[in-house]
Amino acid sequence: MTTTAINTKKMTMIQGVRDAMHEMLKEHDDVMILGEDVGVNGGVFRATEGLYEEFGEDRVIDTPISESGIIGNSIGLAVNGFRPIAEMQFLGFIYPAFNQLMTHATRLRQRSMGRFTVPLVVRAPYGAGVRAPEIHSDSVEALFTQMPGIKVVVPSNAYDAKGLLIASIDDPDPVLFLEPMRCYRSSRTEVPDGKYNVEIGKASVLKEGDDISVFTWGAMVIDTMKAVEKLEAKKNVSCEVIDLRTLYPLDKETIAASVQKTGRAAIIHEAPATGGVSNDVISLINDTSFLYLRAPIQRVAGFDTPVPVYSLEQEYLPSTEKIQTAILHAVDF
Amino acid sequence: MLEQFPMHQIINEEGEIVDSSSMGDITTDEIKSFYYKMLRARMLDKKCVHLQRQGRIGTYVPYEGQEAAQIGSSLALQEGDWMFPTYRDHAATLTFGHSMRNLLLNWRGRPEGNVAPEGVNIFPPGIPIASQLLHATGAAWAEKKRGSDRISLVYFGDGATSEGDFHEALNFGSVFNTPTVFFNQNNGYAISVPMKRQMKTKTIAQKGLAYDIECLRIDGNDVLSVYFATQSAVDRARDGKGPTLIEAVTWRYGAHTTADDPSKYRDQKETEARRETTDPLLRIERYLKTQEAWEEEWLTRIEEEITLEIETALTEMESYPEPDLSQLFDYVYDTPTWTIQEQVNNHLAVQGRTTQ
Ligand SMILES: Cc1ncc(C[n+]2csc(CCOP(=O)(O)OP(=O)(O)O)c2C)c(N)n1
């Protein structure tokens, strides 16, 4: 972490997101925001509240409902001197823009041998558990971790959100910045004023422990912390909890060091199990720490089903009970 | 709509001037230089088809028949403007300043093919149909925001107008009044699918009406009509008057690519017969003859000149150093991620190599 900040304020994650954009719009003329309802309305979650009033309609731009158009134009703007922050209203509506990300934003640097680069941040609220309508709750981070040329970042609290978003805007390559909706207002953390970075590619150890390393990200951080708290209160077990924060590139050192210390691992995510980022974590542990393992690596994930309508979403999401069971299974193996 | 959008011509099929009022004060020498550039593009195209047959380059995308559309339009641009081509628009990119050697390298599967000389703003060709239109509005928007008078021009085919990105780009261009020229080459086919299966409309120009932008329909085989129509669209864009959609009606004589057999979906004899009326080079030749400005010695001389240029570029292409692994690994991110670094090292180790 590098920081020039002094004062801090307690804020929610959504305020941290807004604070980062406010800071970067203020400091850098080339930063701009594009999206649906991001201007006058301040965003459907209020992530851009007041930014239109302060920075004007040329920098905080209400676009047509046109995801491919938003990303495609952002590519043109990014290549030609700007640093756009494109908001997808929900991750579940990024699919019309998939082509622009897959075939252009992430490839232009290589296709042009470095002549054209795309310093673009795509922000997207995501995840289940907020009783949203259909399609609004998808958790498809793995579609993007397998997309060469982009980085995938997921904060779970205000401090990380602000520092990671600033780092993402400053990054010379495209970054997908995922915002777990359930974390938007679930907690408040101290956030420094001014500009500071949380480095992309670095996980955060939320809680140290000796018996098992529990890796998670996004809204599952909330459930994992709850599960661990409950479990430790009733059993003699000590869990290390790590918020990965960046899903590509993964923090190899932190993951390996933790597993080598505890000898056990569990991975918790709400995305469907098959093809999930957990597989990359397992593979990384296999490559770095196989001989340290004392139990099979546990995984608690969403089903290989579409995220259901909200009457069933609690069935779909990994529960604290499932997380506890998985941890015990490894510890008692 | 055909009545509303007649196909504008300056020089007709016979080589006669039918609209002298749209010709500005263009000189015969300038028209001869247009011919030169079309001949250069055609000779390069024929050479490439031949090279592909010999196995000296990979699959090639020919444009023969579309030289007037590409060259007339690219000549209306100025240095600093942005060009967004498709895979078929190397007559345009060559004319706008791309290097012939690098264009040839493109057909050898080399990334250098996507890189124009420094200062020449040409994007790598758009491969997913219509996706490049949005980059053209975005890049033009950036120019407008900076207050510069640079504009962008984007090429696309008739088939591309069926894609969502075409409509999204016209809408963005319209809403944000970007200085963009949407240059459509309607060559009648999208691989095997004829225009009438692609759309019910008789024109492509009319699609601009829905976005309230200027739309023109021109004879894409008449290099003068193309040049002056594009010029007017470019001027409007520079003056802050927003985008224009130009439909240039043309024809591709050859296959969609060298991997395609057009006789499966159309009568190539009929296509050959069309040369009589649609060949853009023949049209200028006829015109120059009416002006008594056509000389066989001149043709011979410029053919020799172009042959030499092509042979030189070909030699440079064939003696170009082999690709190295840096082209695979070094340009994915500004700084390669640890996964990529590890993959490079493992790859080299297995091959017993120590360097890229
Ligand atoms: C999104 C997408 N779908 C399909 C293709 C395969 N494809 C390549 S060229 C082509 C036809 C395009 O026709 P048109 O836009 O009229 O341009 P032309 O090739 O005639 O110049 C198709 C379908 C592609 N490149 N991109």
Side-chain angles (χ1 to χ4, degrees):
Chain A
M1 187 191 108
T2 57
T3 176
T4 52
I6 329 151
N7 296 322
T8 68
K9 257 195 232 72
K10 243 188 156 103
M11 55 175 81
T12 60
M13 192 180 92
I14 188 83
Q15 289 170 324
V17 168
R18 182 199 174 274
D19 219 36
M21 289 191 280
H22 180 262
E23 197 60 34
M24 294 304 273
L25 282 164
K26 200 174 64 184
E27 298 271 312
H28 304 283
D29 289 343
D30 57 353
V31 172
M32 56 188 283
I33 295 174
L34 299 95
E36 297 155 11
D37 308 291
V38 298
V40 179
N41 191 46
V44 293
F45 290 99
R46 304 286 169 261
T48 52
E49 180 121 70
L51 300 181
Y52 172 88
E53 288 75 10
E54 187 170 344
F55 299 102
E57 61 173 0
D58 289 336
R59 299 191 62 203
V60 183
I61 300 164
D62 274 327
T63 66
I65 306 174
S66 184
E67 287 75 15
S68 188
I70 293 167
I71 302 296
N73 274 279
S74 296
I75 292 167
L77 286 158
V79 160
N80 200 2
F82 286 84
R83 285 193 283 168
I85 306 168
E87 177 177 299
M88 299 284 102
Q89 207 159 64
F90 293 86
L91 185 63
F93 303 129
I94 202 171
Y95 309 123
F98 197 83
N99 179 45
Q100 286 292 341
L101 289 165
M102 184 71 193
T103 69
H104 293 294
T106 53
R107 284 184 209 227
L108 264 167
R109 181 188 288 279
Q110 192 193 49
R111 293 191 71 212
S112 66
M113 297 178 69
R115 166 83 71 88
F116 298 122
T117 60
V118 185
L120 162 69
V121 178
V122 181
R123 292 181 39 244
Y126 88 106
V130 297
R131 303 185 158 223
E134 284 186 275
I135 321 292
H136 291 65
S137 307
D138 285 14
S139 183
V140 289
E141 61 270 26
L143 295 180
F144 300 93
T145 51
Q146 213 202 19
M147 191 182 264
I150 197 167
K151 297 172 183 170
V152 181
V153 166
V154 193
S156 68
N157 60 62
Y159 180 88
D160 287 353
K162 181 173 173 185
L164 276 170
L165 185 49
I166 289 171
S168 301
I169 297 166
D170 273 336
D171 198 279
D173 290 302
V175 178
L176 178 64
F177 190 85
L178 297 175
E179 300 169 10
M181 286 184 276
R182 214 144 60 84
C183 296
Y184 266 155
R185 295 184 173 85
S186 62
S187 68
R188 286 172 186 272
T189 46
E190 290 291 341
V191 173
D193 285 348
K195 194 172 168 180
Y196 68 95
N197 268 346
V198 171
E199 199 184 327
I200 295 175
K202 289 277 171 278
S204 153
V205 182
L206 296 180
K207 178 187 168 308
E208 295 196 21
D210 302 319
D211 301 326
I212 184 165
S213 308
V214 188
F215 301 103
T216 187
W217 58 90
M220 280 298 118
V221 167
I222 302 172
D223 306 275
T224 302
M225 288 301 277
K226 247 189 231 151
V228 163
E229 212 172 287
K230 280 191 200 165
L231 194 64
E232 290 187 343
K234 60 188 180 202
K235 301 262 180 189
N236 182 23
V237 48
S238 158
C239 306
E240 179 142 304
V241 180
I242 293 180
D243 179 355
L244 291 178
R245 297 194 296 195
T246 296
L247 303 182
Y248 186 87
L250 286 169
D251 184 347
K252 184 180 173 184
E253 283 73 30
T254 304
I255 295 171
S258 179
V259 174
Q260 289 171 17
K261 178 177 80 173
T262 64
R264 300 181 187 86
I267 305 149
I268 322 295
H269 66 66
E270 65 174 273
T274 298
V277 175
S278 48
N279 296 343
D280 291 314
V281 179
I282 293 171
S283 166
L284 190 157
I285 295 170
N286 179 62
D287 288 347
T288 58
S289 316
F290 182 71
L291 293 176
Y292 293 83
L293 288 177
R294 289 190 264 168
I297 300 168
Q298 304 298 306
R299 182 164 69 150
V300 188
F303 304 120
D304 289 1
T305 65
V307 180
V309 285
Y310 80 76
S311 66
L312 284 164
E313 70 182 350
Q314 293 309 326
E315 296 283 347
Y316 173 88
L317 285 170
S319 63
T320 51
E321 290 73 27
K322 278 189 192 166
I323 298 169
Q324 293 180 64
T325 308
I327 292 172
L328 282 181
H329 189 69
V331 173
D332 297 340
F333 186 74
Chain B
M1 284 285 169
L2 273 176
E3 306 75 53
Q4 194 171 334
F5 292 105
M7 196 173 73
H8 180 257
Q9 290 183 323
I10 291 178
I11 299 183
N12 71 8
E13 293 79 353
E14 312 303 328
E16 300 153 356
I17 292 180
V18 289
D19 179 12
S20 58
S21 68
S22 300
M23 280 176 75
D25 46 14
I26 192 161
T27 64
T28 302
D29 275 351
E30 283 168 318
I31 296 176
K32 282 174 92 172
S33 86
F34 285 15
Y35 183 89
Y36 180 96
K37 293 187 168 91
M38 291 200 289
L39 182 67
R40 177 174 178 242
R42 175 157 300 179
M43 288 172 66
L44 178 65
D45 188 66
K46 281 187 180 300
K47 183 76 186 181
C48 286
V49 171
H50 192 63
L51 290 171
Q52 191 278 332
R53 291 205 181 112
Q54 294 177 316
R56 289 161 78 187
I57 60 174
T59 302
Y60 174 74
V61 183
Y63 50 67
E64 191 187 9
Q66 301 182 209
E67 293 89 348
Q70 294 189 27
I71 285 155
S73 53
S74 60
L75 288 173
L77 295 179
Q78 279 174 16
E79 213 183 306
D81 288 340
W82 289 81
M83 179 181 280
F84 294 82
T86 75
Y87 45 81
R88 199 185 302 288
D89 300 316
H90 28 298
T93 57
L94 178 70
T95 307
F96 192 48
H98 212 308
S99 117
M100 193 184 281
R101 180 202 68 194
N102 281 16
L103 284 177
L104 288 167
L105 281 167
N106 177 55
W107 305 109
R108 280 267 262 225
R110 298 292 298 267
E112 289 86 350
N114 287 338
V115 186
E118 200 58 46
V120 180
N121 293 330
I122 300 176
F123 240 53
I127 307 293
I129 300 299
S131 55
Q132 74 281 5
L133 276 80
L134 289 161
H135 312 151
T137 51
W141 196 359
E143 295 297 346
K144 181 183 161 185
K145 283 174 150 304
R146 268 200 294 273
S148 94
D149 68 350
R150 293 176 171 187
I151 63 109
S152 71
L153 182 145
V154 56
Y155 293 105
F156 55 101
D158 38 295
T161 68
S162 301
E163 290 276 10
D165 279 359
F166 165 77
H167 297 275
E168 297 193 31
L170 262 61
N171 192 44
F172 263 79
S174 160
V175 169
F176 296 104
N177 205 42
T178 67
T180 309
V181 181
F182 297 107
F183 194 93
N184 175 257
Q185 293 174 79
N186 178 359
N187 67 8
Y189 280 86
I191 311 186
S192 67
V193 178
M195 182 180 170
K196 67 173 189 297
R197 174 50 66 93
Q198 202 72 239
M199 64 198 84
K200 194 172 175 187
T201 62
K202 297 276 188 305
T203 78
I204 284 168
Q206 74 194 72
K207 299 186 186 201
L209 292 176
Y211 301 97
D212 202 14
I213 64 176
E214 194 75 11
C215 6
L216 310 170
R217 187 163 173 270
I218 58 174
D219 185 340
N221 302 319
D222 171 6
V223 71
L224 291 192
S225 179
V226 174
Y227 174 73
F228 286 107
T230 314
Q231 190 69 263
S232 72
V234 166
D235 289 345
R236 292 186 66 254
R238 273 198 226 292
D239 290 348
K241 297 192 183 117
T244 303
L245 171 62
I246 298 176
E247 174 187 357
V249 181
T250 181
W251 197 260
R252 105 172 115 75
Y253 295 139
H256 169 70
T257 72
T258 51
D260 167 58
D261 171 10
S263 69
K264 304 257 293 187
Y265 52 84
R266 70 184 190 191
D267 181 357
Q268 279 297 91
K269 278 205 214 83
E270 196 219 320
T271 283
E272 278 310 305
R274 275 174 182 264
R275 287 181 189 266
E276 194 42 43
T277 50
T278 62
D279 185 337
L281 280 83
L282 187 58
R283 191 173 305 197
I284 295 300
E285 181 182 330
R286 285 175 179 156
Y287 167 75
L288 290 174
K289 281 178 175 159
T290 67
Q291 303 299 299
E292 293 179 358
W294 180 264
E295 298 146 45
E296 287 302 327
E297 310 84 75
W298 172 70
L299 180 64
T300 312
R301 199 178 71 241
I302 63 174
E303 276 175 346
E304 280 168 7
E305 207 174 298
I306 295 165
T307 304
L308 182 64
E309 185 192 8
I310 294 174
E311 290 304 326
T312 308
L314 187 57
T315 309
E316 286 180 43
M317 181 272 267
E318 292 196 315
S319 57
Y320 202 72
E322 288 298 307
D324 65 63
L325 284 178
S326 68
Q327 294 181 346
L328 177 59
F329 294 116
D330 288 3
Y331 298 107
V332 185
Y333 296 92
D334 180 51
T335 312
T337 57
W338 68 263
T339 63
I340 293 177
Q341 275 161 6
E342 223 174 69
Q343 288 157 12
V344 183
N345 294 340
N346 292 341
H347 180 70
L348 294 176
V350 169
Q351 309 215 329
R353 288 192 272 179
T354 51
T355 62
Q356 300 197 354

